[in-house]
Amino acid sequence: MEYDNRPVGVFDSGVGGISVLRELISLMPNENYIYYGDSLNAPYGVRPLEEVRKLTFATAGYLIERHCKCLVIACNTATTAAVRALRARYEGVPVIGIEPALKPAVLHKPDGRVLVLATAVTLKEDKFRRLMCRYENDARISTLACPGIVEFVERGIIEGDELDSYLGRLLSDYIPNPPDAVVLGCTHYPFVRSAISKALSHKSEIFDGGNGTARETRHQLTLNGLCGSPDKTGSVTILNSRPEMVDISKWLLTVDIK
Ligand code: DGL
């Protein structure tokens, strides 16, 4: 059997996609990874769609120049803006895009209350609207844009009083009667999963799309004959448009977030 040891390219608007990289490494420790965070331009989720698309194309192009065999868009906002166009542009290169993990959240409790947290761009575009339509008869789904969480995580703040009081204000409508399930529809949010759970008195089951994205990546690599050699440990290279963010990224790769 032939193996392909070229790197898997993973990218996000900043350090959030490290939550997806963690899942990829745990599922496929033998692969080589290049992770690119565009912290200089974060947050993407409050920018016009066309701007997000341009930034996403620039990063994808950079990873393709570095001979990546597939692209994992570890950013819900960038997936919304550019996944289709990227697939058309790079035919023959699998492009996997994360999306909010609505399905498992809806299945969690029949006719339950599901709250989707994501960026304003993700929530308002057609891609998410279509996903929501698919499940609207199975659960009572509400959405909440969360400007601010990305900035906390980019600063390396994933717990503490400042974050708790911010989340208390953000989630105030849901605190008296927490939803059955919460979907973390932005890859930065898994890093504050415990703080979100605490704000909702640990009454909500919390879902994110990281593991599903890693499994879909493995599926695409297998399908396209692109798997790396199974008998070695892969490498991880972390790059960022703000080089000082590389240390925070490395720390986020190891920190306990369950
Ligand atoms: N981590 C990103 C996401 O999954 C985007 C955050 C942002 O830059 O606004 O949507």
Side-chain angles (χ1 to χ4, degrees), residues 12-13 16 42-46 74-77 119 122 150 185-188:
D12 177 45
S13 63
Y44 280 9
V46 293
C75 175
N76 294 263
T77 310
T119 68
T122 299
V150 168
C186 165
T187 56
H188 282 74

